[in-house]
Amino acid sequence: MASFTRPTLLRQAGLAKPAVRTNVVRAAAFQTSSKRPAFISPGPQKIQGGVNDPAPVPEPNAAHGSYHWSFERTLAASLVPLTIAPFAAGSLNPATDAILCSAMLLHSHMGFQQVIIDYVPKRSHPGLHSAFWWALRLGTLTVGLGLYEFETNDVGVTEAIKRVWRA
């Protein structure tokens, strides 16, 4: 009968054997804390203002709110047909390739932009935030120029994917 009842019920009824306590320290298999230093330090811990000061309310801006979110989702959803269309239709149109490359580049730029905003806060790490921001701009420009050169002077992205797939 004891094997069919839950141990909590046995403890409540007083039928369970008392637990034997030992002085053994057990470590969890997957510990959540780490002794290593953080990649980015938490930054200066300073409080601005007083206890009774209201929270600052930013100026309303539609470009940073719902329109921005809607544009990101529309761009992400448009990548699905843009990726499938050149292969399904069988045409290797340079205009379709250019639209696909532009959409991928813009989608990647906006995604990395959100990573920088989330993980390298400007108020605690202004120098590092600025460095990451400029690195993102330089990387986006470099990849854009590389895609342009690949599209105009080589076979293009869609044809390259087809050749790799058949190899």
Side-chain angles (χ1 to χ4, degrees):
M1 180 179 144
S3 63
F4 293 115
T5 51
R6 291 186 290 183
T8 54
L9 293 175
L10 290 175
R11 279 194 297 271
Q12 290 172 356
L15 300 174
K17 295 178 184 175
V20 179
R21 298 205 179 247
T22 60
N23 292 334
V24 178
V25 177
R26 295 181 184 169
F30 299 102
Q31 292 186 356
T32 58
S33 62
S34 174
K35 302 292 185 212
R36 294 176 288 158
F39 177 69
I40 298 176
S41 65
Q45 304 293 320
K46 57 185 172 186
I47 299 172
Q48 297 174 352
V51 176
N52 294 324
D53 291 343
V57 178
E59 289 292 323
N61 187 350
H64 287 66
S66 62
Y67 293 149
H68 183 76
W69 186 87
S70 299
F71 178 71
E72 283 181 343
R73 298 307 166 262
T74 304
L75 181 66
S78 71
L79 282 173
V80 175
L82 282 174
T83 306
I84 297 171
F87 301 107
S91 67
L92 299 175
N93 190 353
T96 308
D97 247 7
I99 293 170
L100 173 65
C101 290
S102 301
M104 283 192 315
L105 185 65
L106 188 58
H107 178 71
S108 300
H109 178 84
M110 292 171 78
F112 281 115
Q113 184 180 21
Q114 293 304 317
V115 168
I116 292 171
I117 289 170
D118 289 344
Y119 294 107
V120 188
K122 187 176 183 177
R123 65 178 174 83
S124 61
H125 301 287
L128 194 60
H129 181 82
S130 179
F132 272 100
W133 207 257
W134 281 105
L136 174 64
R137 291 175 183 153
L138 181 67
T140 302
L141 182 67
T142 305
V143 170
L145 289 173
L147 285 172
Y148 174 76
E149 286 294 320
F150 190 67
E151 286 293 324
T152 56
N153 298 331
D154 209 341
V155 293
V157 173
T158 309
E159 180 62 27
I161 292 171
K162 267 190 171 178
R163 288 182 183 182
V164 168
W165 190 264
R166 290 181 183 159

